[in-house]
PDB file of all heavy atoms in Angstrom:
ATOM      1  N   HIS A 278       4.844 -93.420 -54.165  1.00 90.00           N
ATOM      2  CA  HIS A 278       6.102 -93.803 -54.750  1.00 90.00           C
ATOM      3  C   HIS A 278       7.273 -92.989 -54.049  1.00 90.00           C
ATOM      4  O   HIS A 278       8.297 -93.568 -53.841  1.00 90.00           O
ATOM      5  CB  HIS A 278       6.037 -93.514 -56.256  1.00 90.00           C
ATOM      6  CG  HIS A 278       7.161 -93.992 -57.125  1.00 90.00           C
ATOM      7  ND1 HIS A 278       7.149 -95.364 -57.397  1.00 90.00           N
ATOM      8  CD2 HIS A 278       8.200 -93.532 -57.823  1.00 90.00           C
ATOM      9  CE1 HIS A 278       8.163 -95.629 -58.233  1.00 90.00           C
ATOM     10  NE2 HIS A 278       8.806 -94.534 -58.451  1.00 90.00           N
ATOM     11  N   LEU A 312      14.386 -89.189 -61.762  1.00 92.00           N
ATOM     12  CA  LEU A 312      14.482 -90.619 -61.902  1.00 92.00           C
ATOM     13  C   LEU A 312      13.217 -91.270 -61.318  1.00 92.00           C
ATOM     14  O   LEU A 312      12.632 -92.307 -61.784  1.00 92.00           O
ATOM     15  CB  LEU A 312      15.786 -91.187 -61.293  1.00 92.00           C
ATOM     16  CG  LEU A 312      16.983 -91.133 -62.200  1.00 92.00           C
ATOM     17  CD1 LEU A 312      18.209 -91.397 -61.342  1.00 92.00           C
ATOM     18  CD2 LEU A 312      16.841 -91.943 -63.443  1.00 92.00           C
ATOM     19  N   VAL A 315      10.364 -91.075 -63.647  1.00 91.00           N
ATOM     20  CA  VAL A 315      10.460 -91.984 -64.744  1.00 91.00           C
ATOM     21  C   VAL A 315      10.141 -93.398 -64.266  1.00 91.00           C
ATOM     22  O   VAL A 315       9.436 -94.119 -64.984  1.00 91.00           O
ATOM     23  CB  VAL A 315      12.013 -91.985 -65.369  1.00 91.00           C
ATOM     24  CG1 VAL A 315      12.056 -93.013 -66.351  1.00 91.00           C
ATOM     25  CG2 VAL A 315      12.235 -90.618 -65.936  1.00 91.00           C
ATOM     26  N   THR A 316      10.661 -93.843 -63.055  1.00 91.00           N
ATOM     27  CA  THR A 316      10.324 -95.193 -62.690  1.00 91.00           C
ATOM     28  C   THR A 316       9.003 -95.368 -62.398  1.00 91.00           C
ATOM     29  O   THR A 316       8.345 -96.493 -62.509  1.00 91.00           O
ATOM     30  CB  THR A 316      11.237 -95.456 -61.491  1.00 91.00           C
ATOM     31  OG1 THR A 316      11.053 -94.655 -60.452  1.00 91.00           O
ATOM     32  CG2 THR A 316      12.760 -95.617 -61.848  1.00 91.00           C
ATOM     33  N   TRP A 317       8.296 -94.287 -61.781  1.00 90.00           N
ATOM     34  CA  TRP A 317       6.786 -94.335 -61.509  1.00 90.00           C
ATOM     35  C   TRP A 317       6.158 -94.562 -62.769  1.00 90.00           C
ATOM     36  O   TRP A 317       5.032 -95.487 -62.821  1.00 90.00           O
ATOM     37  CB  TRP A 317       6.541 -93.139 -60.810  1.00 90.00           C
ATOM     38  CG  TRP A 317       4.957 -93.104 -60.561  1.00 90.00           C
ATOM     39  CD1 TRP A 317       4.283 -93.749 -59.593  1.00 90.00           C
ATOM     40  CD2 TRP A 317       4.024 -92.367 -61.379  1.00 90.00           C
ATOM     41  NE1 TRP A 317       2.887 -93.368 -59.740  1.00 90.00           N
ATOM     42  CE2 TRP A 317       2.707 -92.689 -60.856  1.00 90.00           C
ATOM     43  CE3 TRP A 317       4.022 -91.540 -62.554  1.00 90.00           C
ATOM     44  CZ2 TRP A 317       1.526 -92.092 -61.382  1.00 90.00           C
ATOM     45  CZ3 TRP A 317       2.805 -91.051 -63.041  1.00 90.00           C
ATOM     46  CH2 TRP A 317       1.546 -91.307 -62.448  1.00 90.00           C
ATOM     47  N   VAL A 318       6.378 -93.899 -63.863  1.00 89.00           N
ATOM     48  CA  VAL A 318       5.616 -94.114 -65.103  1.00 89.00           C
ATOM     49  C   VAL A 318       5.944 -95.524 -65.625  1.00 89.00           C
ATOM     50  O   VAL A 318       4.937 -96.217 -65.945  1.00 89.00           O
ATOM     51  CB  VAL A 318       6.199 -92.932 -66.034  1.00 89.00           C
ATOM     52  CG1 VAL A 318       5.583 -93.274 -67.513  1.00 89.00           C
ATOM     53  CG2 VAL A 318       5.701 -91.625 -65.746  1.00 89.00           C
ATOM     54  N   LEU A 319       7.098 -96.043 -65.547  1.00 88.00           N
ATOM     55  CA  LEU A 319       7.469 -97.279 -66.075  1.00 88.00           C
ATOM     56  C   LEU A 319       6.752 -98.500 -65.273  1.00 88.00           C
ATOM     57  O   LEU A 319       6.482 -99.502 -65.801  1.00 88.00           O
ATOM     58  CB  LEU A 319       8.989 -97.520 -66.077  1.00 88.00           C
ATOM     59  CG  LEU A 319       9.753 -96.784 -67.050  1.00 88.00           C
ATOM     60  CD1 LEU A 319      11.234 -96.969 -66.843  1.00 88.00           C
ATOM     61  CD2 LEU A 319       9.358 -96.964 -68.435  1.00 88.00           C
ATOM     62  N   THR A 320       6.558 -98.289 -64.057  1.00 87.00           N
ATOM     63  CA  THR A 320       6.027 -99.339 -63.129  1.00 87.00           C
ATOM     64  C   THR A 320       4.506 -99.110 -62.899  1.00 87.00           C
ATOM     65  O   THR A 320       3.889-100.112 -62.251  1.00 87.00           O
ATOM     66  CB  THR A 320       6.746 -99.478 -61.798  1.00 87.00           C
ATOM     67  OG1 THR A 320       6.832 -98.120 -61.169  1.00 87.00           O
ATOM     68  CG2 THR A 320       8.271 -99.760 -62.060  1.00 87.00           C
ATOM     69  N   HIS A 321       4.038 -98.035 -63.200  1.00 83.00           N
ATOM     70  CA  HIS A 321       2.522 -97.648 -62.739  1.00 83.00           C
ATOM     71  C   HIS A 321       1.599 -97.339 -63.876  1.00 83.00           C
ATOM     72  O   HIS A 321       0.337 -97.074 -63.702  1.00 83.00           O
ATOM     73  CB  HIS A 321       2.603 -96.632 -61.818  1.00 83.00           C
ATOM     74  CG  HIS A 321       2.996 -97.101 -60.346  1.00 83.00           C
ATOM     75  ND1 HIS A 321       4.319 -97.201 -59.962  1.00 83.00           N
ATOM     76  CD2 HIS A 321       2.336 -97.514 -59.148  1.00 83.00           C
ATOM     77  CE1 HIS A 321       4.557 -97.470 -58.779  1.00 83.00           C
ATOM     78  NE2 HIS A 321       3.305 -97.661 -58.284  1.00 83.00           N
ATOM     79  N   LEU A 355       6.434-108.118 -59.512  1.00 89.00           N
ATOM     80  CA  LEU A 355       7.558-107.968 -60.423  1.00 89.00           C
ATOM     81  C   LEU A 355       8.263-106.642 -60.253  1.00 89.00           C
ATOM     82  O   LEU A 355       9.318-106.523 -60.563  1.00 89.00           O
ATOM     83  CB  LEU A 355       7.033-108.313 -61.756  1.00 89.00           C
ATOM     84  CG  LEU A 355       6.607-109.688 -62.196  1.00 89.00           C
ATOM     85  CD1 LEU A 355       6.102-109.880 -63.572  1.00 89.00           C
ATOM     86  CD2 LEU A 355       7.565-110.614 -61.831  1.00 89.00           C
ATOM     87  N   VAL A 356       7.492-105.565 -59.891  1.00 89.00           N
ATOM     88  CA  VAL A 356       8.104-104.223 -59.848  1.00 89.00           C
ATOM     89  C   VAL A 356       8.153-103.748 -58.360  1.00 89.00           C
ATOM     90  O   VAL A 356       8.602-102.556 -58.145  1.00 89.00           O
ATOM     91  CB  VAL A 356       7.154-103.295 -60.648  1.00 89.00           C
ATOM     92  CG1 VAL A 356       7.324-103.765 -62.078  1.00 89.00           C
ATOM     93  CG2 VAL A 356       5.920-102.984 -60.082  1.00 89.00           C
ATOM     94  N   VAL A 357       7.801-104.598 -57.380  1.00 91.00           N
ATOM     95  CA  VAL A 357       7.845-104.040 -56.003  1.00 91.00           C
ATOM     96  C   VAL A 357       9.189-103.493 -55.590  1.00 91.00           C
ATOM     97  O   VAL A 357       9.226-102.563 -54.657  1.00 91.00           O
ATOM     98  CB  VAL A 357       7.282-105.097 -55.021  1.00 91.00           C
ATOM     99  CG1 VAL A 357       8.074-106.213 -54.817  1.00 91.00           C
ATOM    100  CG2 VAL A 357       6.822-104.476 -53.712  1.00 91.00           C
ATOM    101  N   PHE A 358      10.138-104.127 -56.022  1.00 92.00           N
ATOM    102  CA  PHE A 358      11.633-103.757 -55.546  1.00 92.00           C
ATOM    103  C   PHE A 358      12.282-102.683 -56.376  1.00 92.00           C
ATOM    104  O   PHE A 358      13.542-102.393 -56.031  1.00 92.00           O
ATOM    105  CB  PHE A 358      12.516-105.086 -55.429  1.00 92.00           C
ATOM    106  CG  PHE A 358      12.074-105.957 -54.360  1.00 92.00           C
ATOM    107  CD1 PHE A 358      12.235-107.428 -54.695  1.00 92.00           C
ATOM    108  CD2 PHE A 358      11.379-105.586 -53.252  1.00 92.00           C
ATOM    109  CE1 PHE A 358      11.833-108.395 -53.677  1.00 92.00           C
ATOM    110  CE2 PHE A 358      10.993-106.561 -52.235  1.00 92.00           C
ATOM    111  CZ  PHE A 358      11.153-107.942 -52.554  1.00 92.00           C
ATOM    112  N   ALA A 359      11.597-102.175 -57.326  1.00 92.00           N
ATOM    113  CA  ALA A 359      12.295-101.210 -58.085  1.00 92.00           C
ATOM    114  C   ALA A 359      12.856-100.001 -57.475  1.00 92.00           C
ATOM    115  O   ALA A 359      13.883 -99.526 -57.476  1.00 92.00           O
ATOM    116  CB  ALA A 359      11.355-100.663 -59.382  1.00 92.00           C
ATOM    117  N   VAL A 360      11.903 -99.406 -56.584  1.00 92.00           N
ATOM    118  CA  VAL A 360      12.317 -98.197 -55.790  1.00 92.00           C
ATOM    119  C   VAL A 360      13.338 -98.618 -54.766  1.00 92.00           C
ATOM    120  O   VAL A 360      14.368 -97.757 -54.751  1.00 92.00           O
ATOM    121  CB  VAL A 360      11.035 -97.600 -55.128  1.00 92.00           C
ATOM    122  CG1 VAL A 360      11.541 -96.485 -54.190  1.00 92.00           C
ATOM    123  CG2 VAL A 360      10.130 -97.001 -56.164  1.00 92.00           C
ATOM    124  N   ALA A 362      15.648-100.686 -54.915  1.00 91.00           N
ATOM    125  CA  ALA A 362      16.823-100.931 -55.525  1.00 91.00           C
ATOM    126  C   ALA A 362      17.562 -99.741 -56.194  1.00 91.00           C
ATOM    127  O   ALA A 362      18.699 -99.482 -56.026  1.00 91.00           O
ATOM    128  CB  ALA A 362      16.569-101.868 -56.863  1.00 91.00           C
ATOM    129  N   MET A 363      16.744 -98.834 -56.642  1.00 91.00           N
ATOM    130  CA  MET A 363      17.249 -97.567 -57.022  1.00 91.00           C
ATOM    131  C   MET A 363      17.822 -96.682 -55.995  1.00 91.00           C
ATOM    132  O   MET A 363      18.826 -96.202 -56.195  1.00 91.00           O
ATOM    133  CB  MET A 363      16.082 -96.704 -57.773  1.00 91.00           C
ATOM    134  CG  MET A 363      16.607 -95.539 -58.388  1.00 91.00           C
ATOM    135  SD  MET A 363      15.292 -94.515 -59.154  1.00 91.00           S
ATOM    136  CE  MET A 363      14.403 -93.944 -57.973  1.00 91.00           C
ATOM    137  N   LEU A 368      20.961 -96.976 -58.635  1.00 81.00           N
ATOM    138  CA  LEU A 368      20.768 -97.313 -59.949  1.00 81.00           C
ATOM    139  C   LEU A 368      19.812 -96.260 -60.572  1.00 81.00           C
ATOM    140  O   LEU A 368      18.956 -95.561 -59.851  1.00 81.00           O
ATOM    141  CB  LEU A 368      20.131 -98.694 -60.024  1.00 81.00           C
ATOM    142  CG  LEU A 368      20.940 -99.910 -59.654  1.00 81.00           C
ATOM    143  CD1 LEU A 368      20.171-101.135 -59.677  1.00 81.00           C
ATOM    144  CD2 LEU A 368      22.269-100.119 -60.443  1.00 81.00           C
ATOM    145  N   GLY A 369      19.769 -96.171 -61.849  1.00 84.00           N
ATOM    146  CA  GLY A 369      18.837 -95.340 -62.580  1.00 84.00           C
ATOM    147  C   GLY A 369      17.621 -96.187 -62.876  1.00 84.00           C
ATOM    148  O   GLY A 369      17.068 -96.852 -62.171  1.00 84.00           O
ATOM    149  N   VAL A 370      17.251 -95.974 -64.318  1.00 87.00           N
ATOM    150  CA  VAL A 370      16.149 -96.730 -64.822  1.00 87.00           C
ATOM    151  C   VAL A 370      16.517 -98.322 -64.712  1.00 87.00           C
ATOM    152  O   VAL A 370      15.533 -99.082 -64.751  1.00 87.00           O
ATOM    153  CB  VAL A 370      15.907 -96.267 -66.348  1.00 87.00           C
ATOM    154  CG1 VAL A 370      14.782 -97.113 -66.961  1.00 87.00           C
ATOM    155  CG2 VAL A 370      15.584 -94.910 -66.403  1.00 87.00           C
ATOM    156  N   ALA A 371      17.675 -98.640 -64.638  1.00 89.00           N
ATOM    157  CA  ALA A 371      18.018-100.082 -64.494  1.00 89.00           C
ATOM    158  C   ALA A 371      17.494-100.640 -63.290  1.00 89.00           C
ATOM    159  O   ALA A 371      17.521-101.925 -63.135  1.00 89.00           O
ATOM    160  CB  ALA A 371      19.681-100.236 -64.698  1.00 89.00           C
ATOM    161  N   SER A 372      17.151 -99.927 -62.325  1.00 90.00           N
ATOM    162  CA  SER A 372      16.509-100.244 -61.062  1.00 90.00           C
ATOM    163  C   SER A 372      15.186-101.164 -61.331  1.00 90.00           C
ATOM    164  O   SER A 372      14.911-102.136 -60.586  1.00 90.00           O
ATOM    165  CB  SER A 372      16.289 -99.160 -60.081  1.00 90.00           C
ATOM    166  OG  SER A 372      15.214 -98.354 -60.660  1.00 90.00           O
ATOM    167  N   VAL A 373      14.564-100.880 -62.477  1.00 91.00           N
ATOM    168  CA  VAL A 373      13.234-101.675 -62.702  1.00 91.00           C
ATOM    169  C   VAL A 373      13.760-103.077 -63.110  1.00 91.00           C
ATOM    170  O   VAL A 373      13.179-103.991 -62.682  1.00 91.00           O
ATOM    171  CB  VAL A 373      12.481-101.076 -63.837  1.00 91.00           C
ATOM    172  CG1 VAL A 373      11.371-101.803 -64.178  1.00 91.00           C
ATOM    173  CG2 VAL A 373      12.011 -99.589 -63.557  1.00 91.00           C
ATOM    174  N   ARG A 374      14.741-103.213 -63.888  1.00 92.00           N
ATOM    175  CA  ARG A 374      15.283-104.584 -64.180  1.00 92.00           C
ATOM    176  C   ARG A 374      15.832-105.243 -63.093  1.00 92.00           C
ATOM    177  O   ARG A 374      15.647-106.448 -62.860  1.00 92.00           O
ATOM    178  CB  ARG A 374      16.317-104.513 -65.381  1.00 92.00           C
ATOM    179  CG  ARG A 374      16.838-105.849 -65.801  1.00 92.00           C
ATOM    180  CD  ARG A 374      17.861-105.665 -66.794  1.00 92.00           C
ATOM    181  NE  ARG A 374      17.394-105.009 -68.053  1.00 92.00           N
ATOM    182  CZ  ARG A 374      18.129-104.591 -68.986  1.00 92.00           C
ATOM    183  NH1 ARG A 374      19.397-104.874 -69.023  1.00 92.00           N
ATOM    184  NH2 ARG A 374      17.650-103.937 -70.062  1.00 92.00           N
ATOM    185  N   ARG A 375      16.530-104.519 -62.237  1.00 92.00           N
ATOM    186  CA  ARG A 375      17.201-105.143 -61.000  1.00 92.00           C
ATOM    187  C   ARG A 375      16.130-105.628 -59.998  1.00 92.00           C
ATOM    188  O   ARG A 375      16.169-106.735 -59.505  1.00 92.00           O
ATOM    189  CB  ARG A 375      18.032-104.126 -60.391  1.00 92.00           C
ATOM    190  CG  ARG A 375      18.419-104.414 -58.986  1.00 92.00           C
ATOM    191  CD  ARG A 375      19.325-105.619 -58.944  1.00 92.00           C
ATOM    192  NE  ARG A 375      19.949-105.882 -57.605  1.00 92.00           N
ATOM    193  CZ  ARG A 375      20.546-106.891 -57.065  1.00 92.00           C
ATOM    194  NH1 ARG A 375      20.643-107.902 -57.932  1.00 92.00           N
ATOM    195  NH2 ARG A 375      21.066-106.858 -55.874  1.00 92.00           N
ATOM    196  N   GLY A 376      15.010-104.793 -59.856  1.00 90.00           N
ATOM    197  CA  GLY A 376      13.960-105.258 -58.933  1.00 90.00           C
ATOM    198  C   GLY A 376      13.290-106.419 -59.520  1.00 90.00           C
ATOM    199  O   GLY A 376      12.865-107.395 -58.767  1.00 90.00           O
ATOM    200  N   TYR A 377      13.063-106.602 -60.912  1.00 92.00           N
ATOM    201  CA  TYR A 377      12.470-107.622 -61.427  1.00 92.00           C
ATOM    202  C   TYR A 377      13.228-108.943 -61.217  1.00 92.00           C
ATOM    203  O   TYR A 377      12.679-110.028 -60.835  1.00 92.00           O
ATOM    204  CB  TYR A 377      12.198-107.393 -62.875  1.00 92.00           C
ATOM    205  CG  TYR A 377      11.846-108.557 -63.693  1.00 92.00           C
ATOM    206  CD1 TYR A 377      10.519-109.180 -63.805  1.00 92.00           C
ATOM    207  CD2 TYR A 377      12.747-109.194 -64.546  1.00 92.00           C
ATOM    208  CE1 TYR A 377      10.268-110.199 -64.446  1.00 92.00           C
ATOM    209  CE2 TYR A 377      12.533-110.378 -65.337  1.00 92.00           C
ATOM    210  CZ  TYR A 377      11.218-110.864 -65.299  1.00 92.00           C
ATOM    211  OH  TYR A 377      10.869-111.901 -66.039  1.00 92.00           O
ATOM    212  N   ARG A 378      14.556-108.809 -61.318  1.00 92.00           N
ATOM    213  CA  ARG A 378      15.471-109.989 -61.172  1.00 92.00           C
ATOM    214  C   ARG A 378      15.384-110.446 -59.615  1.00 92.00           C
ATOM    215  O   ARG A 378      15.373-111.718 -59.425  1.00 92.00           O
ATOM    216  CB  ARG A 378      16.911-109.649 -61.510  1.00 92.00           C
ATOM    217  CG  ARG A 378      16.994-109.567 -63.057  1.00 92.00           C
ATOM    218  CD  ARG A 378      18.390-109.110 -63.432  1.00 92.00           C
ATOM    219  NE  ARG A 378      18.586-109.075 -64.809  1.00 92.00           N
ATOM    220  CZ  ARG A 378      19.649-108.603 -65.501  1.00 92.00           C
ATOM    221  NH1 ARG A 378      20.652-108.228 -64.662  1.00 92.00           N
ATOM    222  NH2 ARG A 378      19.686-108.619 -66.722  1.00 92.00           N
ATOM    223  N   LEU A 379      15.361-109.527 -58.750  1.00 91.00           N
ATOM    224  CA  LEU A 379      15.354-109.823 -57.366  1.00 91.00           C
ATOM    225  C   LEU A 379      13.953-110.498 -56.864  1.00 91.00           C
ATOM    226  O   LEU A 379      14.033-111.524 -56.160  1.00 91.00           O
ATOM    227  CB  LEU A 379      15.505-108.572 -56.503  1.00 91.00           C
ATOM    228  CG  LEU A 379      16.895-108.089 -56.330  1.00 91.00           C
ATOM    229  CD1 LEU A 379      16.864-106.744 -55.476  1.00 91.00           C
ATOM    230  CD2 LEU A 379      17.710-109.187 -55.387  1.00 91.00           C
ATOM    231  N   ALA A 380      12.897-109.972 -57.426  1.00 91.00           N
ATOM    232  CA  ALA A 380      11.529-110.587 -57.227  1.00 91.00           C
ATOM    233  C   ALA A 380      11.553-111.995 -57.716  1.00 91.00           C
ATOM    234  O   ALA A 380      11.032-112.981 -57.111  1.00 91.00           O
ATOM    235  CB  ALA A 380      10.545-109.831 -57.912  1.00 91.00           C
TER     236      ALA A 380
END
Side-chain angles (χ1 to χ4, degrees):
H278 197 69
L312 279 174
V315 173
T316 55
W317 175 77
V318 172
L319 291 175
T320 57
H321 289 78
L355 295 177
V356 300
V357 70
F358 294 147
V360 169
M363 182 178 71
L368 298 174
V370 178
S372 60
V373 178
R374 182 183 301 173
R375 168 64 170 161
Y377 168 75
R378 289 176 176 173
L379 281 174

